[in-house]
Structures are given as structure tokens and as C-alpha cells.
Amino acid sequence: MRYSLLGFISCVLAARPFLNEPDTGIDDQLAGFVANDTLPPLDSLVGLPDFQWVGRQHMNTSAYTYYRNGAAGEWSYRNNLEVFARYRLRPRVLRDITNLEATIPTTILGYNFSAPFFISPCARGGYANPDGELGLVKGAAESNILYMPSLYSSKSIEEIYAARPNNSEQVLFQQVYLDGDMNDTQNLFRQIETLGAKAIVMTVDSPGDGIRHRAARYSVGSANSELSLLTWDLYHQLSNMTSLPIIPKGIQTVEDAREAVTQGVKAIFLSNHGGRQVDTSPSSLEVALEIYNEDPEIFKQIEVYADGGVRYGTDVLKLLALGVKAVGLGRPFMYANIYGAEGVARAAEMLKYEVLNDAANLGVPDLKKIGPQYVNWKSADVWGGS
Ligand SMILES: Cc1cc2nc3c(=O)[nH]c(=O)nc-3n(C[C@H](O)[C@H](O)[C@H](O)COP(=O)(O)O)c2cc1C
Ligand SMILES: *[C@@H]1O[C@H](CO)[C@@H](O)[C@H](O)[C@H]1NC(C)=O
Ligand SMILES: *[C@@H]1O[C@H](CO)[C@@H](O)[C@H](O)[C@H]1NC(C)=O
Ligand SMILES: *[C@@H]1O[C@H](CO)[C@@H](O)[C@H](O)[C@H]1NC(C)=O
Ligand SMILES: *[C@@H]1O[C@H](CO)[C@@H](O)[C@H](O)[C@H]1NC(C)=O
Ligand SMILES: *[C@@H]1O[C@H](CO)[C@@H](O)[C@H](O)[C@H]1NC(C)=O
Ligand SMILES: *[C@@H]1O[C@H](CO)[C@@H](O)[C@H](O)[C@H]1NC(C)=O
């Protein structure tokens, strides 16, 4: 009796698995490296989820937990990953895609990059690698993608900017949290300008502490735990203190996207902080869809960036299809940095290859002209056998 009930429960659970690390054979192939505790060679990794697998095997539990965790019951963390599978592609065939590769590079605020994706700001790069963020900044340079260093990095801001291989040539956008003291902020902004960042990314989704149950168990809560004052008034005071554009990161509704346009921002960043801040907040794909449905002009008025749960080429394409200009990834690059710059560059190249080939199979001749018609925006219940 008891066993059959358990059997029934496991069947029900099996019908809707949460695949934090999808089963594509990695455990079978790389078990030997777990047994002898060596880092698998980079060429044995085939996709971005593999870097998380490596992180789980090779980082200590508290360090891994800091990267992996989400807020509360982690429903937003899971939704960020799962949401992409709820919308089916609509591949077109017999299209001339021979010029597609030339259309992969893009501009972000007018700066040239090799791909429409970038490294989102993440604190504490030192948990994956003793060289901290140096691997991220060098890997980004090698693949010519944008990196946004976090203010709460393990390495000092000076060390990070000094690690640019071509020094001032590499474009970086600097993320900030504000401590409420305007003098500190003015000094910080001066330093950011002097170091040569091209934009300031102001995180606006976390005026409160993230309620992170998983992290609390390992005493690795959030890097930013004070209640902080964040208003549009402050945004304007801050804009007065710098010649750099300030990009609000963490927009989660069409109302705030519209308000940002009204307030004169050059770009917004859709994000729920990787599901780490407030649980049941929407994924940026859902926010982009809300903007597309209610005020699609916004995508033309300003640049819109988005992150959260992006792991595959098709995830990038779905966000671009709605009008997003560039897509951020946090955890995949943080885990890839276990291998340093080489791992970060390898992750970027994997994703470029996926974006190119997924777009080809989707029948997109020009990535700049991808549009919402390439996706069926009627949400499919992938778990219900529809
Ligand atoms: C370990 C870690 C640290 C983070 N630190 C910051 C931070 O300092 N500032 C910030 O704006 N966002 C931070 N984030 C959120 C990321 O910028 C980004 O929004 C998120 O990681 C995207 O989701 P993904 O990890 O699924 O790609 C952090 C995320 C992680 C995983
Ligand atoms: C560890 O195991 C892997 C996979 O079996 C093997 O390729 C590698 O050579 C081993 N490394 C060491 C140091 O034993
Ligand atoms: C960006 O690329 C375009 C076209 O390839 C080029 O004309 C332009 O000068 C580049 N801009 C910068 C800032 O390098
Ligand atoms: C885990 O690793 C991090 C980064 O290497 C280190 O700072 C920390 O002390 C380690 N914690 C434990 C419990 O070993
Ligand atoms: C910039 O650095 C990259 C990577 O180190 C290198 O491949 C490239 O040639 C450099 N570019 C210039 C203009 O120095
Ligand atoms: C900020 O600096 C000004 C002058 O540099 C000083 O008068 C003021 O007291 C400072 N404010 C704070 C909060 O430190
Ligand atoms: C910004 O600076 C301008 C010119 O100095 C001033 O008129 C304006 O009031 C300032 N705005 C804010 C919000 O501080």
C-alpha cells in the first residue's frame, strides 16, 4: 500500500521534472572526473549547462550555493529556466541564410561587439577562481563580448579595469549599488569614468534584501542586504553627477519600462536578478512579452537588454524576437570562470555557435530582422502533453 502510493507520487513528480541540469548524458560521460576529482577538459563540455555541473562538482558547497541559489522557494529561479520551453519556435524553411553569420555582431549603446549577448554583473567571482573577475574581463576581451563588472566583485575595480588586454580599448559597463551617501557616490562615479567604463548599470530591483533560504543555510546570503532608497528623483541626481548613461537594471513591468522612456533613459535592463531577489517575480521573457503586447514601440524608443535563465541559443533568439537588443547571462559565465579566461571565452563561443545554427534552422536570413513571428507566443503547457 505504502509502496504503491510512493510509486504513484514518483510518477506524478516524473511527469513534471525540474531539470536544473538537463540529462544529456553528462553524468555518464564525465563520472570518471568526479571519481578522481579532476576538472574535465574544456573540450569535453558541450553546452552552457555543463559549466554548472562542473561548478557543483568542483566548488565547495557554500561557494556553489552562493552562485546557484534563488529567492525563497526558488520558483522564479526555476521559471527563468523553464519559461523558454513554454513557447515553441515557428521555423521557416527554404530560406537563404547564407549571409546570416555576418549579422550576428551587434552594437550595444553604439559600441561594437561580436554577439548580441553579454556577461551580466555578478558579485564574488573569487568563489569560482582565485583570479576572481580577471578571467571574466579577459575572456570577454578574447571573444569581443560586453562584460559588466559588479561593484561587489572579489577583485578591486582598479584590478579589473587594469586586466583589460588592450587596456582602454575594451568596453565595460560598470554595475553599481549605492550606499546612500552622495559624496561616496560622486567619488565612485568619478573613479568609474576615470577607469574608462562606458556606462553605469544601476541595479534597481533590490531595494530590500533577497530572501534566500538556500543561501541562508550556508550563511552566504546576499551581498547587498540593506534597505536602500531608489527613486526616479535619485536617478536624475545621479545622472547629474556623471556624463555616462545610467541604465536601470531590474525593470519588470511595462509601466516601469514606459516610465523609463518618459524619464529619458537611453536603455533599460529587464531582469529579476536571476530569481534571487523576490520570489515569483517574472522572467524577463515574460516582461518582454508584456512590453511587446502593450507598448511595443518601447523596443524602438530605447535599447532593451534582458537576462535570466538564458542557457541555449534558442533562449537568446526568443528574447531578440520580441525586440530585445542584447541578452545577458550571469551564472553560466560565473561557472565557466572556474577555467579562467579560457573557460569564459569557450562559453561565449559555444553560445555564438548555437545562436548562429539555431537561427539558421529557424530560417532567419538576418538576425537583425528576427521578429515575433518566429515564435508561437501562445504559451504551451509542455508538461501536460499538449
Ligand atoms: C552569483 C551571482 C551574483 C550576482 N551579483 C549581482 C550583482 O552584484 N549586481 C547585480 O545587479 N546583479 C547580480 N546578479 C544578477 C545577475 O546580474 C543576473 O541578473 C542574473 O545572474 C541573470 O540570471 P542567470 O544567472 O540565470 O543568467 C548576480 C547573480 C549571481 C548568480
Ligand atoms: C581522471 O579520470 C578521467 C576520466 O576517466 C581521465 O580521463 C583522467 O585522465 C583522470 N585524471 C587523473 C589525474 O587521474
Ligand atoms: C563599429 O563597426 C562599424 C561597422 O563595422 C564601423 O563602421 C564603426 O567604426 C565601428 N565603431 C567603433 C566604435 O569601432
Ligand atoms: C569555499 O571556497 C571559497 C572560495 O575558494 C573560500 O573563500 C571559502 O573559504 C571556502 N569555504 C569552505 C567552507 O571551504
Ligand atoms: C586586443 O586584444 C585581443 C585579445 O588579447 C587581441 O586578439 C587583439 O588583437 C587586440 N586588439 C588590438 C587592437 O590590440
Ligand atoms: C560631502 O562633502 C561636502 C564637501 O566636500 C561636505 O561639506 C559634506 O559634509 C559631505 N557630506 C557627507 C554626508 O559626508
Ligand atoms: C541637475 O543639474 C541641473 C543643472 O545644474 C539642475 O538644473 C537640475 O536641477 C539638476 N537636477 C537634479 C535632479 O539634481
Side-chain angles (χ1 to χ4, degrees):
M1 196 54 203
R2 229 175 122 214
Y3 286 106
S4 63
L5 180 62
L6 278 177
F8 172 73
I9 290 169
S10 66
C11 273
V12 171
L13 290 175
R16 195 192 185 289
F18 166 63
L19 296 178
N20 187 43
E21 291 170 26
D23 175 15
T24 56
I26 189 168
D27 283 315
D28 297 338
Q29 280 297 310
L30 302 185
F33 294 100
V34 180
N36 67 19
D37 196 27
T38 34
L39 215 48
L42 268 177
D43 63 11
S44 68
L45 306 183
V46 304
L48 298 191
D50 294 11
F51 288 104
Q52 167 160 353
W53 184 91
V54 172
R56 187 165 55 77
Q57 307 292 350
H58 287 274
M59 295 167 71
N60 67 42
T61 310
S62 55
Y64 172 71
T65 299
Y66 179 70
Y67 284 12
R68 158 63 183 81
N69 93 89
E74 302 187 335
W75 302 104
S76 284
Y77 170 88
R78 286 192 281 272
N79 185 55
N80 281 359
L81 295 163
E82 291 179 344
V83 68
F84 292 101
R86 288 207 288 274
Y87 299 98
R88 311 266 198 237
L89 294 172
R90 302 185 64 247
R92 301 301 306 272
V93 300
L94 302 173
R95 295 259 182 113
D96 179 359
I97 48 78
T98 50
N99 190 45
L100 172 61
E101 190 159 13
T103 70
I104 305 285
T106 195
T107 60
I108 303 178
L109 279 185
Y111 299 102
N112 290 335
F113 296 100
S114 68
F117 58 80
F118 59 87
I119 306 180
S120 286
C122 293
R124 300 180 183 171
Y127 282 6
N129 192 306
D131 285 338
E133 290 74 18
L134 306 188
L136 293 160
V137 71
K138 290 175 185 166
E142 198 173 318
S143 355
N144 190 18
I145 60 168
L146 173 62
Y147 172 39
M148 302 179 177
S150 163
L151 185 65
Y152 294 158
S153 288
S154 302
K155 291 287 178 189
S156 72
I157 187 168
E158 292 90 349
E159 286 173 295
I160 294 170
Y161 283 71
R164 287 175 292 177
N166 301 324
N167 212 349
S168 56
E169 266 174 54
Q170 184 183 350
V171 172
L172 301 175
F173 291 1
Q174 179 61 46
Q175 184 268 339
V176 296
Y177 286 116
L178 304 168
D179 70 0
D181 179 325
M182 291 306 255
N183 286 358
D184 289 353
T185 302
Q186 179 66 76
N187 291 336
L188 176 65
F189 282 14
R190 274 200 203 106
Q191 183 182 28
I192 290 170
E193 285 185 27
T194 306
L195 290 168
K198 300 298 188 204
I200 291 173
V201 175
M202 175 179 164
T203 304
V204 295
D205 62 16
S206 37
D209 192 13
I211 304 301
R212 300 178 184 174
H213 292 184
R214 183 189 296 271
R217 284 184 220 291
Y218 299 90
S219 311
V220 287
S222 39
N224 177 38
S225 57
E226 301 284 303
L227 286 191
S228 32
L229 172 73
L230 293 166
T231 61
W232 281 112
D233 269 354
L234 178 68
Y235 179 88
H236 289 294
Q237 287 174 39
L238 298 174
S239 297
N240 259 11
M241 294 179 165
T242 175
S243 57
L244 299 176
I246 303 181
I247 304 166
K249 172 175 183 280
I251 300 290
Q252 295 166 81
T253 58
V254 65
E255 289 91 329
D256 281 338
R258 207 182 275 135
E259 184 64 25
V261 173
T262 308
Q263 300 285 345
V265 309
K266 289 207 168 74
I268 56 173
F269 192 153
L270 313 181
S271 178
N272 66 355
H273 214 110
R276 297 162 76 82
Q277 210 54 37
V278 59
D279 203 10
T280 72
S281 57
S283 78
S284 65
L285 185 72
E286 290 162 323
V287 179
L289 191 54
E290 180 176 299
I291 296 173
Y292 173 73
N293 285 330
E294 296 184 28
D295 203 346
E297 283 300 299
I298 289 174
F299 291 112
K300 301 196 179 99
Q301 292 165 330
I302 54 175
E303 291 193 356
V304 178
Y305 318 133
D307 76 7
V310 174
R311 301 293 181 268
Y312 304 99
T314 50
D315 301 345
V316 174
L317 295 178
K318 284 172 188 170
L319 285 162
L320 297 182
L322 288 169
V324 168
K325 177 82 174 157
V327 173
L329 296 92
R331 294 181 185 85
F333 285 115
M334 295 300 278
Y335 297 126
N337 189 36
I338 292 170
Y339 295 87
E342 212 191 328
V344 172
R346 175 87 186 104
E349 296 317 312
M350 281 175 179
L351 190 57
K352 271 185 215 169
Y353 185 78
E354 290 192 11
V355 167
L356 171 64
N357 288 283
D358 287 338
N361 290 322
L362 188 55
V364 180
D366 177 346
L367 194 59
K368 298 293 183 308
K369 294 189 181 142
I370 192 173
Q373 71 276 16
Y374 285 100
V375 181
N376 180 353
W377 294 110
K378 192 169 150 290
S379 170
D381 178 4
V382 292
W383 310 108
S386 66

